[in-house]
């Protein structure tokens, strides 16, 4: 699996650019926090949508499947963001 780096930008199926904001490894599974580049570049006062995705063994992004998994991942990223 290729390492995913913070700041890396990729394009989704709809042609939107998405930037990796943070990466965390939990229990052998890698997760990323991402946001739309367009939203990140604009100076807006409202909250920016951040999404959490799981990285599968092929290095592809997949959805988080359960509420429990989402809560664990969300808490881990909250801790990372507090440190920055």
């Amino acid at each position: 699996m290729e390492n995913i780096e913070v700041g890396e930008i990729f394009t989704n199926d709809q042609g939107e650019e998405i930037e990796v904001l943070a990466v965390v490894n939990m229990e052998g599974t890698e997760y990323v926090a991402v946001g739309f580049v367009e939203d990140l570049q604009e100076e807006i006062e409202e909250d920016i949508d951040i999404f959490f995705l799981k990285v599968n063994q092929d290095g592809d992004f997949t959805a988080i499947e359960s509420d429990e998994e989402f809560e664990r991942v969300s808490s881990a990223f909250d801790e990372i963001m507090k440190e920055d």
Side-chain angles (χ1 to χ4, degrees), residues 31-44:
Y31 296 91
V32 295
V34 298
F36 292 107
V37 171
E38 184 177 325
D39 291 345
L40 298 170
Q41 289 176 343
E42 292 179 12
E43 293 185 25
I44 55 176

Side-chain angles (χ1 to χ4, degrees), residues 41-75:
Q41 289 176 343
E42 292 179 12
E43 293 185 25
I44 55 176
E45 293 181 14
E46 56 196 61
D47 290 337
I48 294 172
D49 290 329
I50 296 176
F51 304 93
F52 304 115
L53 301 170
K54 184 186 322 189
V55 182
N56 69 18
Q57 292 176 333
D58 296 326
D60 296 325
F61 298 119
T62 61
I64 293 174
E65 298 174 9
S66 70
D67 291 339
E68 294 82 16
E69 183 180 19
F70 177 83
E71 289 300 321
R72 285 193 334 264
V73 172
S74 178
S75 293

